Amino acid sequence: MSTQPDAGGHFGTYGGRYVPEVLMSPLEELEHTFLEAREDPAFQRELDELLRTYAGRPTPLYFARRLTEKLGGARIYLKREDLLHTGAHKINNCLGQALLVRRMGKKRVVAETGAGQHGVATATACALFGFECVVYMGEEDMRRQRLNVFRMRLLGAKVVGVASGSRTLKDAISEAMRDWVTNVATTHYLLGSALGSHPYPLMVREFHKVMGIEAREQIQGIEGRLPDAVIACVGGGSNAIGIFHPFVADAGVKLIGVEAGGRGVGLGEHAARFSGGSPGVLHGARSYLLQDENGQVSLTHSVSAGLDYALVGPEHAWLHDNRRAEYVSVDDAKALSAARLLSQTEGIIPALESSHAVAEAAARAPKAAGQVFLVNVSGRGDKDIDIYRENLKELDEA
């Protein structure tokens, strides 16, 4: 099956460009710059060098021996994106887009962030390249992710709190897009997930597929074969599409995306787009969207700020409808339990987003004897310590 969007950026009926006229020109400029850069060996050499010497690629593929022994069944391998500079996979895309910003001759960057890791990675890349950086973040997420707010400011970024709506990621994206519309001549919008109008879903995937390319080679070197399943959390979907992409053509490899099951099945209690949503348009793209009977975008909830978004990336919608990938949800309690399990069996404290993928692997492993699971640990848990403390109070007693 083809994994390339059509000329309008559609994966089947998903994706596309649903934006005001003022944004068509900058999107076309970005598309032209990206496609040109993708074919430029000098661009790729510079990006590869930055990923290697600055970001810390390749990341290791780690056999989780004690976790495997405790669960029984499948052998579990962890792709250690948590070991990258800034603490998550987000730096891959930010370095790639920063090179495009320089290529376009722009000096100012705006971005959105939920859990803060994309904001930190954007601020890091802007500091490295000397760009002005403004990051929009919902006030609720700023409360949940105070450490990352400070990190962004330390790196020289201006962090703008967003008080509208749910005060989370959806609202931060809306404000970043308003800024971009107003300052489009000088500003690039460094979108952090495989969302938004074409070429963003394609471009973000291309900058993140390095994860899957590495993992595919690594698992074959260790096990002598491909994994039976690749498991990753899905908010917008950047870490999942990056690690899934190099395995899409391998029919024997299950691709399992894990959404946020939140605290219940009612609308507004979760961020599970495939089980609770329907096709709709948000922030420039058509995909599965959590919306009410009147087509209004629903509030969402997840203990993880990075999974708390109403729309899923359009390529994930296409993979879902073509039954090439399976999408499930894990609730807050199971994600928190999985974080504790991984921490205490392997000495690895995962990001709350990644904990959702660990939880799904842990649920499936006992019934999968002889199989090999590859789990993407997309980020480390430093940023989530306050949330862990709130929810695991028994560990925080005086």
Side-chain angles (χ1 to χ4, degrees):
M1 58 193 296
S2 172
T3 57
Q4 296 304 311
D6 67 17
H10 298 93
F11 296 91
T13 62
Y14 304 108
R17 282 183 181 148
Y18 297 84
V19 293
E21 187 69 25
V22 68
L23 287 180
M24 289 302 291
S25 179
L27 284 169
E28 289 169 354
E29 177 193 20
L30 178 60
E31 179 185 13
H32 172 77
T33 303
F34 167 67
L35 294 176
E36 182 183 72
R38 188 168 65 168
E39 302 303 318
D40 181 355
F43 175 89
Q44 197 58 57
R45 280 196 302 271
E46 185 171 8
L47 177 57
D48 289 348
E49 180 73 4
L50 282 170
L51 290 173
R52 184 177 64 84
T53 64
Y54 187 73
R57 302 216 72 91
T59 58
L61 187 66
Y62 169 71
F63 176 52
R65 186 178 307 278
R66 291 196 67 237
L67 180 64
T68 294
E69 290 172 353
K70 184 174 183 64
L71 295 171
R75 296 189 299 283
I76 300 174
Y77 288 85
L78 309 178
K79 184 60 172 160
R80 297 292 308 277
E81 295 299 293
D82 58 309
L83 295 178
L84 279 179
H85 179 43
T86 73
H89 71 292
K90 296 291 188 180
I91 193 69
N92 302 322
N93 171 55
C94 290
L95 290 174
Q97 286 199 49
L99 289 172
L100 296 180
V101 175
R102 189 182 68 188
R103 199 176 181 105
M104 291 185 289
K106 297 186 176 183
K107 300 291 186 181
R108 182 174 181 269
V109 168
V110 297
E112 85 298 329
T113 196
Q117 287 303 104
H118 174 61
V120 169
T122 299
T124 299
C126 287
L128 180 64
F129 282 81
F131 301 143
E132 180 186 353
C133 181
V134 179
V135 179
Y136 290 90
M137 190 172 190
E139 289 183 348
E140 171 61 15
D141 289 339
M142 291 180 73
R143 182 193 68 80
R144 292 195 286 182
Q145 299 290 345
R146 290 177 296 173
L147 174 62
N148 275 344
V149 172
F150 184 83
R151 292 171 75 195
M152 286 182 269
R153 289 171 174 162
L154 182 61
L155 288 160
K158 179 182 179 182
V159 182
V160 179
V162 179
S164 59
S166 60
R167 301 180 297 134
T168 57
L169 181 59
K170 172 179 70 70
D171 313 291
I173 293 176
S174 296
E175 288 302 316
M177 291 187 74
R178 290 188 186 101
D179 186 314
W180 190 29
V181 168
T182 305
N183 302 289
V184 73
T186 60
T187 299
H188 171 69
Y189 177 23
L190 207 164
L191 182 59
S193 197
L195 298 166
S197 295
H198 180 62
Y200 282 106
L202 170 64
M203 182 171 67
V204 172
R205 181 196 80 189
E206 291 295 289
F207 286 140
H208 279 312
K209 71 181 183 183
V210 63
M211 294 184 286
I213 291 171
E214 288 177 6
R216 197 174 191 280
E217 181 178 345
Q218 289 166 330
I219 196 69
Q220 287 180 303
I222 298 168
E223 286 282 340
R225 66 179 184 92
L226 294 176
D228 295 283
V230 178
I231 306 171
C233 65
V234 181
S238 62
N239 94 88
I241 206 65
I243 201 160
F244 286 178
H245 181 66
F247 294 97
V248 168
D250 302 301
V253 179
K254 290 182 181 178
L255 305 177
I256 302 166
V258 187
E259 298 184 287
R263 60 194 170 202
V265 297
L267 203 59
E269 297 295 299
H270 61 84
R273 287 68 49 99
F274 289 113
S275 59
S278 57
V281 174
L282 179 64
H283 295 139
R286 183 176 188 270
S287 186
Y288 278 78
L289 174 67
L290 290 169
Q291 54 191 325
D292 65 21
E293 63 274 11
N294 298 313
Q296 297 299 306
V297 178
S298 169
L299 294 176
T300 57
H301 164 77
S302 173
V303 70
S304 165
L307 301 185
D308 197 1
Y309 185 60
L311 190 86
V312 71
E315 190 170 359
H316 286 293
W318 179 76
L319 289 171
H320 170 271
D321 283 9
N322 282 276
R323 298 183 179 180
R324 180 58 193 95
E326 176 187 357
Y327 294 87
V328 299
S329 62
V330 161
D331 66 28
D332 289 351
K334 289 177 182 175
L336 289 162
S337 178
R340 190 169 181 175
L341 173 66
L342 185 63
S343 298
Q344 295 181 1
T345 57
E346 297 292 347
I348 297 169
I349 302 174
L352 265 166
E353 293 83 357
S354 308
S355 299
H356 287 70
V358 174
E360 185 62 21
R364 294 183 181 229
K367 298 169 284 188
Q371 292 192 19
V372 172
F373 286 2
L374 195 164
V375 181
N376 201 23
V377 179
S378 54
R380 68 179 183 232
D382 305 40
K383 68 182 179 61
D384 294 317
I385 292 300
D386 284 345
I387 302 176
Y388 284 136
R389 290 179 68 189
E390 287 176 16
N391 288 276
L392 302 172
K393 293 184 184 298
E394 67 276 16
L395 302 180
D396 199 32
E397 295 174 354

